[in-house]
Amino acid sequence: MSSNLEKKLVEPAVRFGYSFPAIRGIQANREYYVSMCPMRMIPKIFLFTSEELPAEMRSQRRLNRSRLPEIANYIANNKDDYVLSAITASIDGEVKFSALSETGSASRIGTLNVSMEARFIINDGQHRRAAIEKALAERIELGEESIAVVFFLDPGLERCQQMFADLNRYAIRPSTSIGILYDHRDAHALLSKRLIKDSKNFTNLVEPEKNTLSARSRRLFTLSAIYGATNDLLAGLVKENTETLIKIAGQFWEEIAKRIKEWKLIHDGKITAGEVRQEYIHSHGVVLQSLGKVGNFLLLTDRKNWKPKLRGLSGIDWRKNQPLWEGRALIGGRVSKAKQNVVLTTNAIKQALKLPLTPEEQKAEDAFKRN
């Protein structure tokens, strides 16, 4: 390696501009370069210059500043455990690549020299760039760490816009369930996974990857539904430690399983999960979340005597064709997990258990009955 590559990753050259140690590649018969850039240089190199332009004149979507605190906090609060994918940018200006050798693999390794007058246009990663700047204000030491940058040569606005479209064309956000499954940082995710592992009522019945279940699936619940419902169940129990919360959640769902006979029939092999999901509503996320809210109400109002108050669940007809669920858990016969539907489903369960409604719940119930 040359001595230039042993120096800091990015430094302004004395006469020419910026020098990046880089690897040269080819895509679609065009050269591009992969480099590393110190975090401290990111806000200085990549500037926002087109936010006020109309959409057709920009090469990027408008920055959504409401996303920045979450990303910045993630970087700053996980200093030893964060991961950031590469920023993709186009260079509009004079560029020269100096390879270590004219032949062999070393011809792809060298220094990318960029004119000081050149503009760096972000094609993908503007929120990462803004979040890095925000995180640096809190933890200046992050400036010595680096992020990968992929540089393309800028052939004009039309090509930059096409690059943005292409880079995002096949981007698919992972399901909520698999995000929970792979999250080892979120305490709620860890609790939900422990709960499922320890509870016989969930054994082999929870789909860990998908947010929806096919008609042929042998699973009854999704991980995301159990996660959301359990979070609602335990809301406000801030003084309890993790083991206690797992115990409370386990006891609650065990009590629910006693009151819903179809869950037991699945365990006994007398009915399939697919048949239950098709005919009944109690395994769907909207009902699980509503059950969690009912349980939370009981835990906060009568911690020592909540179990007997769930007996009324056995008398609820959970079949989808019952008029009770239309407009609450169902809209036009289809399951809906909108916030209003969760509230109205919670109301139906509370009324069956002869539990009082909160002012908000009563307001929603009155509006529902008027309509």
Side-chain angles (χ1 to χ4, degrees):
M1 290 286 186
S2 69
S3 59
N4 285 339
L5 293 179
E6 295 171 354
K7 294 180 180 179
K8 290 185 178 179
L9 293 174
V10 182
E11 291 295 344
V14 174
R15 293 185 178 180
F16 186 77
Y18 291 102
S19 295
F20 298 85
I23 300 175
R24 175 172 55 183
I26 301 290
Q27 279 187 9
N29 296 317
R30 293 185 177 93
E31 283 192 359
Y32 74 100
Y33 308 91
V34 180
S35 184
M36 297 289 168
C37 186
M39 296 279 210
R40 60 185 169 80
M41 296 299 294
I42 294 295
K44 299 176 182 177
I45 295 175
F46 301 106
L47 304 176
F48 295 126
T49 57
S50 59
E51 277 201 288
E52 301 308 317
L53 293 176
E56 62 272 15
M57 297 299 292
R58 284 187 269 115
S59 60
Q60 256 281 12
R61 59 188 149 195
R62 198 180 301 279
L63 191 69
N64 182 355
R65 297 193 178 276
S66 65
R67 290 179 56 192
L68 301 186
E70 184 178 3
I71 305 173
N73 289 338
Y74 162 72
I75 299 170
N77 297 335
N78 296 284
K79 183 177 177 295
D80 299 321
D81 195 28
Y82 72 90
V83 179
L84 290 177
S85 56
I87 290 174
T88 302
S90 294
I91 303 174
D92 179 12
E94 187 178 349
V95 170
K96 180 181 179 182
F97 181 73
S98 302
L100 293 180
S101 173
E102 295 183 1
T103 59
S105 59
S107 65
R108 298 193 295 270
I109 303 172
T111 302
L112 181 67
N113 296 302
V114 183
S115 167
M116 193 69 75
E117 289 75 33
R119 289 193 311 138
F120 295 88
I121 303 164
I122 295 180
N123 305 111
D124 182 59
Q126 65 167 349
H127 290 91
R128 268 162 280 160
R129 175 253 179 253
I132 287 170
E133 181 176 21
K134 198 173 182 67
L136 285 171
E138 185 175 338
R139 289 186 176 271
I140 193 170
E141 66 272 18
L142 287 169
E144 298 306 312
E145 300 193 7
S146 60
I147 185 171
V149 182
V150 181
F151 290 115
F152 290 88
L153 303 183
D154 176 27
L157 177 63
E158 183 177 333
R159 173 62 182 164
C160 282
Q161 290 177 336
Q162 187 63 56
M163 285 175 65
F164 174 82
D166 290 347
L167 286 167
N168 290 278
R169 186 182 305 275
Y170 302 110
I172 300 176
R173 186 180 178 87
S175 70
T176 304
S177 285
I178 202 167
I180 296 166
L181 180 66
Y182 290 165
D183 194 336
H184 300 280
R185 186 178 291 115
D186 179 6
H188 297 296
L190 296 173
L191 188 151
S192 297
K193 288 182 283 188
R194 269 282 306 278
L195 171 67
I196 291 168
K197 181 181 177 182
D198 296 346
S199 174
K200 64 180 181 179
N201 297 303
F202 296 135
T203 303
N204 299 323
L205 290 180
V206 178
E207 166 55 51
E209 294 189 51
K210 302 174 183 176
N211 289 343
T212 57
L213 297 169
S214 67
R216 295 183 179 181
S217 175
R218 292 177 295 176
R219 314 290 188 177
L220 186 60
F221 315 103
T222 63
L223 175 56
S224 60
I226 299 298
Y227 170 87
T230 303
N231 279 357
D232 281 341
L233 169 68
L234 301 175
L237 303 180
V238 293
K239 295 182 180 180
E240 307 294 349
N241 59 44
T242 300
E243 294 302 318
T244 301
L245 292 175
I246 291 172
K247 182 179 179 181
I248 293 171
Q251 290 175 343
F252 175 78
W253 292 117
E254 183 178 349
E255 200 66 27
I256 296 295
K258 290 178 184 178
R259 312 298 175 188
I260 300 180
K261 62 181 180 180
E262 289 79 22
W263 291 12
K264 186 176 187 304
L265 291 175
I266 292 173
H267 273 289
D268 295 342
K270 296 179 180 179
I271 190 172
T272 67
E275 290 173 305
V276 170
R277 291 197 316 275
Q278 185 174 0
E279 293 187 37
Y280 298 89
I281 200 168
H282 47 50
S283 65
H284 290 269
V286 61
V287 171
L288 291 176
Q289 189 170 352
S290 297
L291 287 169
K293 287 183 176 295
V294 171
N296 181 255
F297 173 82
L298 292 174
L299 289 171
L300 294 179
T301 57
D302 194 356
R303 179 70 173 272
K304 295 182 179 180
N305 194 40
W306 60 270
K307 290 184 180 181
K309 295 183 179 181
L310 291 173
R311 288 173 184 161
L313 291 175
S314 302
I316 296 178
D317 192 335
W318 299 101
R319 288 177 296 175
K320 291 181 180 179
N321 60 10
Q322 290 302 298
L324 170 65
W325 305 117
E326 182 59 42
R328 295 182 186 271
L330 303 173
I331 299 294
R334 297 179 66 88
V335 178
S336 173
K337 202 188 172 186
K339 182 178 178 181
Q340 188 72 354
N341 296 107
V342 173
V343 173
L344 292 172
T345 303
T346 302
N347 290 355
I349 297 172
K350 277 185 143 186
Q351 289 168 346
L353 300 180
K354 295 181 171 52
L355 297 175
L357 303 184
T358 66
E360 275 190 29
E361 292 168 344
Q362 189 62 59
K363 183 178 179 181
E365 189 67 19
D366 293 341
F368 172 71
K369 289 178 178 178
R370 284 197 302 270
N371 292 332

